[in-house]
Amino acid sequence: MNPFSSGTRLRDMIRAIRACKTAAEERAVIRKECAAIRAAISENDQEYRHRNLAKLMFIHMLGYPTHFGQMECLKLIASPGFPEKRIGYLGLMLLLDERQEVLMLVTNSIKQDLNHTNQYIVGLALCALGNICSAEMARDLAPEVERLLQFRDPNVRKKAALCTIRIIKKVPDLAENFITPAVALLKEKHHGVLLTGVQLCTDLSKVSTEALEYFKKKSIDGLVKVLRDLANSPYSPEYDISGITDPFLHIRLLKFLRVLGQGDVDASDTMNDILAQVATKTEANKNAGNAILYECVATIMSIEDNGGLRVLAVNILGRFLSSRDNNIRYVALNMLMKAITLDSQAVQRHRVTILECVKDSDASIRKRALELVYLLVNENNVKSLTKELIDYLEVSDPEFKGDLTAKICSIVEKFSPEKIWYIDQMLKVLSEAGNYVKDDVWHALIVVITNAPNLHGYTVRSLYKALQTAGEQETLIRVAVWCTGEYGDLLISNAGLLDVEDPITVTEADAVDVVETALRRYSSDLTTRAMCLIALLKLSSRFPSCSKRINDIVRYHKGSFVLELQQRAIEFNSIIEKHQKIRSALVERMPVLDEATFSGRRAGSVPAVASTSQGDPPKIPNGVVKPASAPLVDLLDLSSDDIQAPASSGGDFLQDLLGVDVSPATSQGTNQTQKSGTDVLLDLLSIGTPPAQSSTSMLDILSSSQDNKSSVDALGKLAPSPLAQASSPVESSPAMDLLGGFGTSQSVSVTNGPTFPAIVAFESSSLKVTFNFSKEPDSPQTTLIEAQFINKSPNVYSNFLFQAAVPKFLQLHLDPASSNTLPASGNGSVSQKLRVSNSQHGKKSLVMRVRINYKVNDKDVLEEGQISNFPRDL
Amino acid sequence: MIRGVIIMNDQGKPRLIRFYEFQPVEKQQELVRSIYKILCSRAENVSNFVKVDSLFGPDVRLVYKTFATLYFVFIFDNSENELAMLDLMQVFVETLDKCFSNVCELDIVFNFNKVHTILDEIILGGQVLETSSSDVVMAVEDISKLEKNSNSIIPSIPGWQGR
């Protein structure tokens, strides 16, 4: 006989599948088998129907489609024999979905089986119903299930109880019918029935307040008694799990008490004693006992406050933490996380144990413990906790260091009592795990450093020392390089020496060494190297004695294969060699970085800067006016990215400020400046040429790098830097004129609220749509559009409907149209107002898809089109 | 509520899949694969609980245990006690052991529908039905008898040979 005919036994089919060596072979076997089963189905073969369905279930488990077998389930369920019914119901549960209409057909068979004389068949029907029952079935069959709750056989009663849970979840209205029979189940002696009965009552309380009130009034005392009897019951082997009597029933009872006690002082009072008894008497040396304790703790935490019990509960959790079983520690940490909101004092007492769990060998426990520690930190314990965590950082697993550093940094930032402590801790973290620190963290550190002028010297000296011992931590190097560039002079002079530090002897050459080493370091990435070049440029001015050496290093990098470095090197080299006059002004200390703006940026919102492009230019802290236009901000060494997307959230403020943008995303931004910014810049240069002192040199720089596309922008970053200084009102120089003229012209054009020409947005042979634009003065991102629709045909359009869709960076609001009838031949028009907000204002132009529906001579007409001829800068 | 029970072998081959909330067959396979990936990457000596919100939604966890070549996995939400799930798994495995006298992977492969029947006596609709393994064994034996004695058209009942 062909082994793959439908006559194959199930066992043989499984063997054949198991014998397959490749997936293709397996597919072939299953294809053949399915074909045979389909053939048997279409021949209405009865003899092997249940065997075929059993095969289909196996095939289904392997992930192959089996929908063609669904009707077979129904046929088997309707057949009289028990084996057929069993397989039929199993198929129903595994292969069918409650949403499928086929289920409607099975309701009647289930109804008959629920009334069957054979209790096992009743059991099969209840089981299937409990697993797949739909709302319709629930309504149809609820009376049968209700009756079965009182069936003589306990096995049927318990199945009926769980089946009821499914029914009341599907149709909560039915809950009240079940309250009385459910209460009866609570008096059961049979553990299985009692277990399901308690579960049913719990679920009833969740879907019906009526049921909840009823149980609160009538059942609590009974439940407390059941729990007490259970807790005190002698050994009953049947339900015993490792020496504990029926932990499942314990747990279900505790859970139900929790539902009843929540928000009810009287109910909570009634159960206090038994909870205390369970919490103290249950043996905790086995998993089953701990499961009960765990549930008991959850209940104590949730019911109305009883201080004593809560302390007891938290202490149980504390004991769990020192358990040798990972699972117990795991659940204890989860529960403590909830407990901390209720009674953080009690949890604080276990701080030491929790801290130990941060060092656990199980990663998931470590992670939870760390989260918990994070929640435990407050002003009082921040120093000791941070110290512990930083100490642990040294020995922790590499894969845990990322999480750990992130949390430490967050704690330090959030609770730091003073700046010097913050800087100290951050330096420790950077020295220990600098490679795991995220960019925004060290950016934040730099912001804090610039804001603490009395600590500049201390910081740069500490960094210098740290670098001697931990020279391989990328972010430490970056911060050190940045600070050396900015505050290198303080490093040498030991200026601003604090009481706590010892003076160190560092020569100018040593400081340059630091930067040079970082630059030459094999594993330094592009950002670090670019930062090094800037630092060198700054040092060349701070340390005239090293200028020659620095120039040599810079010149060496003129040959760099990395465009960014090459470009910087060329520009810096030119500054050092040819522009001594402007150099010192160019490399002055960075202005103090604005903490508020930075933290706002970090949080992803940009409150002030969003409106930068229009209106009053916001002040930046050092008093230099932050101009509204892209090129000018570039002068301040801000990257163009900052301006290009003022509203884009998460823009990396500090990175911009540092002028170290080399990430691909930013270079994109730079290219965009190219488009919109180049002509302005060239304008600036040409306007500036006659009066500017340094005009020739500027042109020099320009010519030296003209071929390089993006260098025009870089020029903006570098060369006119002194001009930025000049823009402060104190100084006056020819350059200021140049800049002032430029700055105002730019902002004037914007603040005056430019007018935009109307456009013909859409035109077809039958219809013309024009758009008029206006802006509200204070919200440049928003454009008001008045659309006018004109009917070019000789027929009236009725049911006129205009719809529009915009891409994600836009927001569109449509007001109703003035009419939905469009008169014929342009005799009047319909207008409609639209309001569009452009989140990428200044970066992207508006674009819109439109669809216009109307009826002409009783025929529906649909016109569609895309509008992309919006004026720029909307 | 218990969301699902999965038995698979250490190669990731599913041996029993039972979801108490409907999952289309492709999704089931995907879930089994993702869970297998998670279990494989678990070190020894770590807790048996894994958060699987990414697969099943918020607050859903799974507990797993290895028995010989098999992974037993229970997936459940926050209305269940994690430690109790571990005990329930013990009950399930003990019951299998009693029904097949020293259960092994092959028993489960060839008698998967009997395993389903056993499971149906322990969990119904995602709720715990019975926790006494002797009660379960009794119920399953009764069903076995009924299978054998019923005058079905063919004498041999698929997947019920047992041992």
Side-chain angles (χ1 to χ4, degrees), chain B residues 81-104:
Chain B
N81 181 317
E82 293 99 325
L83 300 175
M85 285 298 111
L86 214 52
D87 281 335
L88 189 67
M89 187 179 284
Q90 192 62 40
V91 171
F92 181 39
V93 176
E94 266 174 35
T95 312
L96 288 179
D97 215 37
K98 285 180 194 164
C99 290
F100 293 105
S101 56
N102 259 334
V103 66
C104 70

Side-chain angles (χ1 to χ4, degrees), chain B:
Chain B
M1 174 181 170
I2 299 168
R3 301 285 184 88
V5 173
I6 296 172
I7 305 178
M8 60 177 122
N9 71 1
D10 48 13
Q11 314 289 311
K13 275 259 173 213
R15 292 306 180 207
L16 177 107
I17 306 178
R18 193 64 179 272
F19 285 104
Y20 294 100
E21 280 173 336
F22 179 77
Q23 306 276 9
V25 60
E26 309 80 32
K27 177 86 180 158
Q28 290 191 2
Q29 296 298 315
E30 194 190 313
L31 290 171
V32 169
R33 272 195 298 273
S34 329
I35 292 174
Y36 177 66
K37 227 181 266 168
I38 293 172
L39 298 189
C40 278
S41 58
R42 298 280 290 181
E44 277 181 42
N45 252 334
V46 298
S47 72
N48 296 73
F49 307 117
V50 187
K51 261 191 133 171
V52 281
D53 346 28
S54 52
L55 301 177
F56 293 93
D59 264 330
V60 178
R61 275 153 286 182
L62 64 78
V63 55
Y64 70 96
K65 235 177 168 180
T66 39
F67 293 92
T69 55
L70 293 174
Y71 282 117
F72 282 68
V73 180
F74 282 21
I75 302 145
F76 55 95
D77 62 22
N78 60 352
S79 68
E80 298 291 338
N81 181 317
E82 293 99 325
L83 300 175
M85 285 298 111
L86 214 52
D87 281 335
L88 189 67
M89 187 179 284
Q90 192 62 40
V91 171
F92 181 39
V93 176
E94 266 174 35
T95 312
L96 288 179
D97 215 37
K98 285 180 194 164
C99 290
F100 293 105
S101 56
N102 259 334
V103 66
C104 70
E105 186 178 342
L106 281 185
D107 293 324
I108 292 173
V109 173
F110 284 106
N111 303 295
F112 70 96
N113 66 70
K114 183 169 180 177
V115 178
H116 272 293
T117 303
I118 295 168
L119 186 61
D120 279 339
E121 291 297 323
I122 298 177
I123 300 171
L124 194 160
Q127 305 287 352
V128 181
L129 177 68
E130 180 57 68
T131 59
S132 150
S133 75
S134 49
D135 271 26
V136 177
V137 171
M138 235 148 57
V140 173
E141 274 169 4
D142 286 347
I143 293 175
S144 284
K145 262 180 236 155
L146 216 72
E147 287 263 335
K148 283 191 185 114
N149 300 340
S150 70
N151 37 3
S152 175
I153 314 166
I154 46 168
S156 121
I157 288 104
W160 205 266
Q161 292 87 343
R163 272 205 260 169

